Amino acid sequence: MTDWIDIGTLSDIPQRGARTVRFEGEPEIAVFRTGDDKVFALVNECPHKKGPLSQGIVHGHAVACPLHNWNIALASGEAQGADSGCTPTIAVREENGRILLARPEVMRDAA
Amino acid sequence: MDFQDGIEPNSDYDDAPIVPSDDVREHLVVVGNGMAGCRAVEELLARDADRYRVTIFGAEPHVNYNRIMLSPVLAGEKTFDQIVINTREWYDENGIDLITADPVTAIDRAAKTVTSRSGRTVHYDRLLIATGSDPFIIPVPGKDLPGVISFRDMNDVDTMLAAAEAGKAQGGGSAVVIGGGLLGLEAAHGLTLRGMKVTVIHLMSTLMERQLDEAAGWLLKSALEGRGQSILTGADTAEIYGEGKVEGVRLKDGREIPASLVVMAVGIRPATALAREAGLDVGRGIKVDDHMVTSDPSVLAVGECVEHDGNVYGLVAPLWDMCRSLADGLTDRHTGYRGSVTSTKLKVAGLDVFSAGDFSGGEGCEDIVLRDAARGVYKRVVVKDDKVVGAVLYGDTADGGWYFDLLKKGEDVSEVRDLLIFGQAFASGGGALDPKAAVAALSDDAEICGCNGVSKGQVVGCIEAGACSLDAVRATCKASASCGQCTGLVESLLALTLGEEVEAGPKTLCKCTSFTHDDVRREIVAQDMRSIPEVMQKLHWATPDGCSSCRPALNYYLLCALPGEYVDDQQSRFVNERMHANIQKDGTYSVVPRMWGGLTNPRELRAIADVVEKYDAPMVKVTGGQRLDIFGIKKEDLPAVWADLNAAGMVSGHAYGKSLRTVKTCVGSEWCRFGTQDSTGLGVKTERMTWGSWMPHKFKIAVSGCPRNCAEATIKDFGIVCVDSGYELSVGGNGGIKVRATDFLCKVATEEEALEYCAAFIQVYREEARYLERTAPWIERVGVDYVKSRVVEDEAGRKALAARFLYSQSFSQDDPWAERASGDRADLHQHLQPLALEAAE
Ligand SMILES: Cc1cc2nc3c(=O)[nH]c(=O)nc-3n(C[C@H](O)[C@H](O)[C@H](O)COP(=O)(O)OP(=O)(O)OC[C@H]3O[C@@H](n4cnc5c(N)ncnc54)[C@H](O)[C@@H]3O)c2cc1C
Ligand code: SF4
Ligand code: FES
């Protein structure tokens, strides 16, 4: 069973952009909204040198890290192309325009 | 009105009580005389006409009609008579008791009866619930005013027609449609045809976002606007206002749209109230198993009101599948329903839109995109694990059925992968699976380039005559020189004719396009393109929304081409430009206020010192460009830092941007014993003229007071060295990895001239360099003589360039910090605030 936390509406996040959420004692989470209004959530750290992915350019279902331009797939957190590394993902879904995020500590316990 | 013909609301028949009959067959009672309920009965009759005695209750006063044809009725293409599915005779002939205009209000499962509003109570052996959906009404003030309706049944259509009629009397009424989905657009289309002025308000940024991606949504919006509708996307309704009846709609941003009719078409919800009150299991819809049986074995449900395997459906195709399984079950065949994949076709006259499956892409998905600007076509097929999982088609939907079929059957498409996007005829034609073989098989007079009317024979002829690259072909026979759609074909012909050794063409802007930077810049101006989706469509981008290379470039090119008009796309900017500060390796930002010509004063210094203390900035540093850089500011503190600096009169230094950075100066004649002119003063003037300008790359200027050149003006993009007799101008220098000294441009006599040449030089660079190309490599590429020919030798040209620069500066010299600090999208700097915890699912 997953605990879902309501973190706001789709319009709180700019299209092709991200906002961040923080929970006490947890790494910062970046919540992305893509061009086709899908939402994804990743830990806000690039697998390369911890660049804040929330600040990157979102294209398709990937984000280009703002520090050294690695491309990270939003669905899997996996670095694309020749780069390798992976950022943890957090389950997130949209319901009636609200964005629901899985409780991060629950996710970690499950992992 | 004509569509009223043939309907007998509350006929005598309805008033007749249902007498307990001596009919001993099992009694099937159907609640809902809509598309699913009636279809289920038809399916049942087809299997075993005599097995059940059937009674149908309908809330509407009509016989069963085709609900999806309400749109053509609204548009005036059909009459109500023409959309009736089953006439009263049909009900009679099949011995069905039809009770109209009398909704069922309660179900008693223990007694196995239903009761209707008029008080009729009927016993059932099997009950079928087919109540369809209720339109979703957004809970804004004014939602209950007369004139606010949904688009669901014939009654709504009547209201719309009456409003259009009334509008006509007053010389054209106006309507607002809330919701830019399938239904809203159909309503808008019909109302437009009926002579109303229609505004569509859509919350999302593209129309039909559930069915279409951004590119197709943009095409659709353009087409509808071309038909005279106003489409407001990203528009949130705050309130519907009016005294006693609707007078208009107010948006959250304050805009008001007057209207005498408001149609809400924002979505539907399964109509489950009746089932819920009867104690049946209800989730999003009434829960049914594979045989459409609810949690009560005597009660079945079908249509939009049900939830099967977690899914609810809002289209008819799945209902047909459900009705078949249901009728099978009722006649002991139990085949079972397994869920449906749906596709959508927009039938608004003349606009071909199709979508099916999951086109949102995602992990392991591959997009195949075809854009044919000349025909207004956009096609996107999403392939995953060698199977089609989704498709969006705009403009040419002929192959929609084929893709949908491949999708439903889950067929392996790896064999036809390369030809898939061209459609069925091409992909399965003559077994030509290799695109090259397909081209080889074309006859000599087959047309290759539609824009320029060039045949295969002509292309091959010109290749054989020596044109051995794409560019050479373009230059000689013009094939692929216009819209570029046939580029692939021409390349195949090159490969076929010359063997495999085809010269690689010029480097494309990025992997999303076959066009070069120069092509793109040229076409933006030539075709007067105005937005990123438009460029992507017209130039056949191969990805749905580009990548981190092309989006910033396109954003810049449009900004440069359309000063004052183009609306900047923040999401196509690199983080530094989006945050108006420099991101550092730990994710914090550094902030550099502008210091005009390198000058400062106590007030500014104090403000900077205060900011450093107040926000705990760990470091302040003098930059190479004579400014103070405040390090270690957190993203969420940026707006407050800017506000403090603004308060002391400082503005952003654009140290983060592909833009004018600094104007470095020396002290010049005012203090220095060698100085020949006021280099500091000229530096300040230059910076006042050029600040805020967006460039292909960063741009630096320096002014030195004498040839000793203390401001290092000869390694700047634009350098001025003051001498006794005037000003020596030089261009194209930079520090950096590869140091380059400037090329001498010319000498001028006055400050005014120095400024004019500076503006003109910047403008040629802005208009012609490739994005991310600094002046040094640009000048090496085009030659300094070219630059001289534009800026020095052609006086009229220079003045025109300078004028264009100053014109665009009139729009770009707003301090981006002030805008953001004053609250404009300050939320982007804040963390999202989690709300209440939701109950576990
Ligand atoms: C304008 C319009 C255009 C559409 N276009 C398309 C399209 O192009 N393609 C497509 O696939 N789908 C389209 N749809 C959707 C399609 O019409 C529905 O999916 C379909 O009608 C659903 O069938 P249903 O029987 O479940 O519900 P309905 O057809 O809505 O039937 C339900 C019936 O039950 C009645 N009812 C409700 N409660 C009670 C009660 N308590 N007692 C008695 N009767 C009751 C209602 O009055 C209604 O007549 C369109 C819908 C609309 C409104
Ligand atoms: S460049 Fe000339 S005028 Fe300027 S500070 Fe140096 S010596 Fe003095
Ligand atoms: S930290 Fe993300 S690419 Fe280097």
Side-chain angles (χ1 to χ4, degrees), chain B residues 584-604:
Chain B
Q584 302 297 345
K585 69 186 242 183
D586 64 350
T588 64
Y589 290 80
S590 75
V591 171
V592 183
R594 199 165 281 288
M595 288 182 172
W596 306 96
L599 296 175
T600 184
N601 58 38
R603 186 174 138 89
E604 291 181 353

Side-chain angles (χ1 to χ4, degrees), chain B residues 666-669 672-676 679 704-711:
Chain B
C666 73
V667 292
S669 59
C672 177
R673 62 202 161 107
F674 301 105
T676 62
S679 51
S704 284
C706 83
R708 284 178 177 74
N709 192 12
C710 292

Side-chain angles (χ1 to χ4, degrees), chain A residues 34-51:
Chain A
T34 59
D36 53 14
D37 286 332
K38 294 278 173 315
V39 274
F40 297 95
L42 295 178
V43 167
N44 193 19
E45 282 181 2
C46 175
H48 179 218
K49 294 192 171 172
K50 302 197 169 195

Side-chain angles (χ1 to χ4, degrees), chain A residues 1-8 10-23 28 31 33-38 40 49-52 54-61 64-67 69 71 73 75-76 78 93-96 98 100 103, chain B residues 203-206 209-210 212-214 236 269 358-363 380 511 544-549 551-552 569 571-575 578-579 583-587 589 634-636 825 827-841:
Chain A
M1 278 221 184
T2 311
D3 257 352
W4 297 96
I5 306 168
D6 184 326
I7 55 168
L10 198 60
S11 56
D12 289 336
I13 308 178
Q15 220 179 19
R16 293 193 190 75
R19 295 277 303 274
T20 47
V21 210
R22 282 181 166 169
F23 297 99
E28 187 168 287
V31 186
R33 172 177 172 196
T34 59
D36 53 14
D37 286 332
K38 294 278 173 315
F40 297 95
K49 294 192 171 172
K50 302 197 169 195
S54 58
Q55 305 302 298
I57 291 183
V58 176
H59 54 99
H61 285 189
C65 174
L67 293 196
N69 211 29
N71 277 300
S76 63
E78 230 42 88
R93 65 195 174 91
E94 196 211 322
E95 204 174 279
N96 299 327
R98 308 292 313 182
L100 305 179
R103 288 190 72 85
Chain B
L203 184 61
M204 294 301 174
S205 58
T206 54
E209 76 286 344
R210 284 181 199 282
L212 303 180
D213 59 6
E214 195 204 17
D236 202 352
R269 287 216 170 136
D358 182 8
F359 58 85
S360 63
E363 209 175 343
R380 175 160 161 232
K511 59 185 183 336
D545 62 355
C547 69
S548 58
S549 300
R551 288 231 314 273
D569 178 22
Q571 299 314 133
S572 294
R573 284 186 177 271
F574 184 67
V575 56
R578 220 178 320 122
M579 288 290 139
I583 194 164
Q584 302 297 345
K585 69 186 242 183
D586 64 350
Y589 290 80
K634 291 197 240 5
K635 182 179 76 178
E636 50 272 38
R825 295 250 58 179
D827 58 334
L828 298 183
H829 296 264
Q830 302 303 325
H831 298 290
L832 285 166
Q833 294 305 324
L835 292 180
L837 299 185
E838 272 229 336
E841 281 218 327

Side-chain angles (χ1 to χ4, degrees), chain B residues 217-293:
Chain B
W218 172 79
L219 281 164
L220 182 60
K221 178 166 183 264
S222 313
L224 293 173
E225 284 168 340
R227 296 174 167 205
Q229 296 175 16
S230 308
I231 314 267
L232 307 179
T233 48
D236 202 352
T237 306
E239 144 177 56
I240 300 171
Y241 61 87
E243 295 280 326
K245 63 173 179 41
V246 169
E247 285 164 22
V249 171
R250 188 172 299 113
L251 300 182
K252 290 224 170 113
D253 64 13
R255 272 181 290 180
E256 285 185 4
I257 305 135
S260 57
L261 176 75
V262 172
V263 182
M264 265 208 221
V266 291
I268 52 170
R269 287 216 170 136
T272 56
L274 195 60
R276 199 185 292 270
E277 276 157 32
L280 294 170
D281 265 5
V282 174
R284 282 200 291 157
I286 305 168
K287 291 196 175 173
V288 293
D289 67 9
D290 289 354
H291 308 288
M292 315 314 294
V293 178

